[in-house]
Amino acid sequence: MLKGKNIYLRLFEPEDYEKTYEWHNDFDIQKTTCGPLRFVSKEIERNWVMSKASHNQTDIYLAICLIENDEMIGWYSINNIDYLNRKCHCGGVVIGDKRYRDSIAYQEAGDLAFEYIIKELNMNRITGSCLREHIVSRAAMEASFWKLEGVERQSVFKGGSYHDVCNYAILRDEYLEHLEKGDYDNLQLRIAKIVRKIRNDFKNNK
């Protein structure tokens, strides 16, 4: 268990499928991801959660739970873990419970997971991706000093059209340097400023 001030992270348990089933069928959530929109049955979802709960070598799925009542409100995934080359891909934070999407839970889950990735998994290179129009995700990575390494043009088809995908990465030394300098202390303010900048750039280049 990885414990913060308001939330903690734990591995998936079999009964978590009841929550993830709702969120995988919530198109408001799925339309912002890089994956296709698809329906899932409870049986499909149960098997998916069971596979994540019983195999955690190359993919780790962590339930985001509230400390006050142990309620699961989302998940964080660490994917494509390569222990030889010490790199992995952050699948991202999913806050399924609408009541907590604007709360500190998003940032706190990311902080806990990233500390685990660096200090326990000993990863050297961490990557992340998002749709070009997912402004908040882009701002969160850029505010955290991830570097944009490229844009895959028309990489994902959903909603009747093709979408560009932005690929980011950060190295272990870069993260530790910014952490030591205290650059993450005012992260929410940095995100807000970058959101405005990206939104303006996106409108102008649309």
Side-chain angles (χ1 to χ4, degrees):
M1 181 188 297
L2 306 174
K3 191 173 182 179
K5 293 181 180 179
N6 303 289
I7 58 103
Y8 65 87
L9 306 180
R10 59 162 174 78
L11 287 176
F12 272 3
E13 295 292 347
E15 60 270 19
D16 290 337
Y17 86 90
E18 296 181 356
K19 291 272 192 178
T20 62
Y21 168 75
E22 295 179 11
W23 301 334
H24 271 143
N25 281 299
D26 185 339
F27 278 10
D28 284 338
I29 296 175
Q30 297 306 317
K31 69 182 181 182
T32 63
T33 70
C34 292
L37 297 177
R38 58 165 61 99
F39 294 104
V40 294
S41 65
K42 287 189 175 181
E43 187 62 24
I44 290 173
E45 193 68 16
R46 182 187 291 109
N47 291 332
W48 181 78
V49 169
M50 283 294 296
S51 70
K52 304 308 178 187
S54 56
H55 300 91
N56 66 344
Q57 294 302 304
T58 58
D59 296 281
I60 299 175
Y61 280 75
L62 299 166
I64 303 171
C65 302
L66 298 174
I67 289 177
E68 62 180 0
N69 57 13
D70 296 318
E71 181 181 359
M72 179 182 177
I73 62 171
W75 76 79
Y76 190 104
S77 67
I78 307 167
N79 306 107
N80 303 328
I81 302 172
D82 182 342
Y83 294 99
L84 176 61
N85 296 300
R86 293 173 57 204
K87 61 183 181 179
C88 66
H89 183 81
C90 285
V93 185
V94 174
I95 303 296
D97 193 318
K98 293 180 173 66
R99 295 172 297 172
Y100 300 97
R101 288 181 188 168
D102 295 327
S103 71
I104 195 65
Y106 185 97
Q107 180 184 337
E108 194 170 334
D111 291 343
L112 288 172
F114 211 81
E115 185 174 1
Y116 175 71
I117 289 169
I118 295 293
K119 295 184 178 181
E120 302 301 332
L121 295 181
N122 195 28
M123 295 288 106
N124 179 61
R125 172 180 164 83
I126 301 94
T127 59
S129 303
C130 66
L131 298 180
R132 178 172 171 265
E133 61 266 33
H134 198 327
I135 295 173
V136 174
S137 289
R138 290 173 58 190
M141 284 188 275
E142 292 183 19
S144 301
F145 306 99
W146 294 52
K147 294 182 179 180
L148 179 64
E149 295 191 333
V151 177
E152 297 177 43
R153 295 176 300 159
Q154 299 187 14
S155 180
V156 171
F157 183 80
K158 63 193 309 180
S161 62
Y162 287 98
H163 302 260
D164 297 345
V165 172
C166 295
N167 295 317
Y168 290 87
I170 187 170
L171 303 180
R172 174 191 182 92
D173 289 345
E174 294 170 343
Y175 167 74
L176 293 176
E177 179 183 353
H178 287 295
L179 185 66
E180 184 177 353
K181 291 164 61 178
D183 292 336
Y184 295 108
D185 293 346
N186 297 311
L187 189 59
Q188 289 300 318
L189 180 60
R190 283 176 51 79
I191 291 175
K193 289 181 178 179
I194 295 175
V195 162
R196 290 194 293 270
K197 179 181 182 301
I198 294 177
R199 184 175 285 123
N200 290 333
D201 291 346
F202 186 75
K203 289 179 180 178
N204 293 333
N205 297 312
K206 204 168 183 181

